[in-house]
Amino acid sequence: MPNSHKEMPKVGFGLWKIPQDICADAVYNAIKAGYRHLDSACDYGNEVQVGEGIKRAIDDGLCTRADLWITSKLWNTYHAKEHVKLALEKTLADLQLDYLDLYLIHFPIAQPFVDFEDRYPPEWITDPAVGKMELAPVPLFETWQAMESLYEKGLVKQIGICNYNTGLLHDLMSYAQIKPSVLQVESHPYLTQESLMRLAAQYDLDVTAFSPLGALSYLELDMAGAAESVLEQTVVKQAAQRLGKTAAQVVLRWGVQRGNAIIPKTSRPERLKENLDIFDFELTSQEMDEISALNSNRRFNDPGNFCEGAFNTFHPIYD
C-alpha cells in the first residue's frame, strides 16, 4: 500500500453531525478518552472546530500530531483536477495541519465547482435559488490522478475512496498508478456487504465502516425508524448479557472482529469510553454468524433515496 506510515486505529471518532458549538470540546474529550483516529470531512461543516480541538489537545500534551490518524474527504464540487489541491489546502488550513493521514473521495459524484467565498461547505445544491442538485462532467479517473498528485507532494500519507461499489473498485484498480489504501462504506449488521468486503480484501484494501450502529445515526434525520435499531435484536441482547457488555459494544465488536475499522459518533463522554472498550472480549463464531444473518441489505445513507427527496434529483449510485 502507498506509504503505510502507520496503522489506522480500529476505532475512530466520527465527526459527522457534531454541531460546531460543541465540536472542539468533543474532539478534545475524545482524544483525552484515548481516541487517536478522527474521521472528518469538508461536508461536515465543522473542520475549523475540529482543528481547534486537535490543537488544544496537542498543546496540553494529551498527544502529538504523530500519535493521531486524521482522515478527511474531498467533496463532490471539487472533483476537477484544478480544484482537488485547493480543497485539500482549505481542509488543512481549517484543521491547522500540515498533512492528512488519509484523504478520501467522499462520493463517486462530481458536481459543479462552488467557490469557497460563495459558500463553504457547498453541500449538494449548486444554486440555492434553483434548489436542484447538478452534475459536472468530470470522470473519476481525472479526480484520482489529482489525488495521486497530493500523495506525491507529501500532503497526504494515504489516499482512498468512500461509497464505491464493486464495479467502481474494479475500474479504479485498472488505472490507478498509486493504489487506494482504504475503502470507507456504510456497514452494520443490516448491511453486511459481504461481496464488497471480500473484494476489498482481494485488492488489499482496509475497510472503514461508517454508521456501524446502523439506524442510530439516522433517526434525527428521519432516514430511519426507531423500530430499526439493531440493538434490540435478540442475538445482540443475549451476547451482551453473556459478556456483561452493552448491546452497542456487541455490535461495534462485531464490526472490528470482521476486520474493519469503525467510526462511531457520539458527544456523550460515557459513550466515548464505552465505544473504545471493545477489545477485552470476543464474540463466538456462532454469535458472529447470527449477527451477520441479520443482514437485510438495508442502506440508510443512499443518494438514490435522499437526493430525490431533498435535492429534486434522482441519482442512485448503488443497484
Side-chain angles (χ1 to χ4, degrees):
M1 301 322 302
N3 197 7
S4 299
H5 67 302
K6 59 187 177 188
E7 184 177 352
M8 180 171 60
K10 284 296 188 181
V11 180
F13 183 47
L15 292 154
W16 181 44
K17 298 192 286 112
I18 303 240
Q20 290 182 359
D21 60 341
I22 66 167
C23 186
D25 286 341
V27 168
Y28 182 89
N29 290 333
I31 294 172
K32 189 174 182 179
Y35 286 82
R36 295 296 179 263
H37 175 181
L38 303 175
D39 185 83
S40 184
C42 151
D43 187 55
Y44 301 166
N46 56 13
E47 288 198 318
V48 168
Q49 293 74 29
V50 173
E52 292 170 357
I54 292 171
K55 183 178 186 302
R56 196 193 321 160
I58 292 174
D59 289 347
D60 286 356
L62 299 183
C63 64
T64 66
R65 169 64 184 96
D67 293 330
L68 298 174
W69 177 287
I70 314 282
T71 297
S72 189
K73 308 177 188 77
L74 176 78
W75 186 240
N76 306 344
T77 52
Y78 309 125
H79 273 218
K81 59 186 176 183
E82 65 269 24
H83 299 140
V84 172
K85 185 168 180 282
L86 292 176
L88 173 65
E89 289 173 338
K90 170 65 171 164
T91 277
L92 288 175
D94 286 350
L95 293 174
Q96 302 183 56
L97 300 176
D98 297 323
Y99 69 91
L100 291 178
D101 298 275
L102 176 64
Y103 200 40
L104 305 171
I105 295 175
H106 203 150
F107 282 96
I109 299 171
Q111 296 185 255
F113 176 69
V114 176
D115 193 276
F116 301 148
E117 300 301 320
D118 292 339
R119 190 171 69 256
Y120 190 87
E123 301 181 313
W124 291 85
I125 294 176
T126 308
D127 182 355
V130 176
K132 185 175 181 181
M133 174 182 166
E134 299 177 22
L135 301 175
V138 181
L140 289 169
F141 171 77
E142 175 181 321
T143 307
W144 188 255
Q145 283 190 317
M147 295 284 284
E148 291 176 328
S149 178
L150 301 179
Y151 168 78
E152 289 167 343
K153 289 179 171 65
L155 295 171
V156 298
K157 300 299 184 182
Q158 297 187 28
I159 50 178
I161 61 273
C162 284
N163 300 302
Y164 269 46
N165 59 30
T166 52
L168 288 178
L169 269 188
H170 285 305
D171 186 54
L172 171 60
M173 290 300 187
S174 74
Y175 59 72
Q177 296 300 305
I178 299 170
K179 304 297 185 185
S181 58
V182 176
L183 167 68
Q184 185 177 128
V185 291
E186 179 183 347
S187 189
H188 42 76
Y190 292 157
L191 185 68
T192 57
Q193 305 224 62
E194 298 292 347
S195 293
L196 182 58
M197 299 298 170
R198 184 176 174 185
L199 183 64
Q202 183 173 302
Y203 279 130
D204 199 22
L205 279 164
D206 290 331
V207 174
T208 300
F210 71 77
S211 303
L213 293 172
L216 293 186
S217 298
Y218 300 94
L219 294 175
E220 64 194 80
L221 301 174
D222 292 327
M223 293 167 68
E228 294 183 279
S229 174
V230 70
L231 305 186
E232 297 303 317
Q233 290 286 349
T234 299
V235 61
V236 172
K237 289 164 59 167
Q238 286 178 342
Q241 184 175 16
R242 177 182 74 82
L243 293 159
K245 294 289 185 176
T246 67
Q249 286 174 312
V250 167
V251 174
L252 295 179
R253 177 68 202 184
W254 171 86
V256 298
Q257 205 165 311
R258 296 179 82 205
N260 296 340
I262 56 172
I263 45 172
K265 165 254 172 185
T266 184
S267 54
R268 295 168 57 181
E270 67 275 15
R271 288 285 171 81
L272 280 173
K273 294 179 180 179
E274 178 184 314
N275 291 347
L276 272 182
D277 188 21
I278 59 171
F279 295 99
D280 61 349
F281 68 97
E282 285 191 4
L283 298 172
T284 66
S285 58
Q286 181 177 344
E287 287 167 338
M288 289 292 294
D289 290 344
E290 289 180 355
I291 293 173
S292 296
L294 297 173
N295 179 58
S296 60
N297 298 320
R298 172 64 164 108
R299 190 184 303 277
F300 295 102
N301 195 327
D302 187 348
N305 292 329
F306 68 73
C307 285
E308 187 167 25
F311 314 125
N312 302 304
T313 305
F314 178 57
H315 193 75
I317 61 173
Y318 311 110
D319 296 330

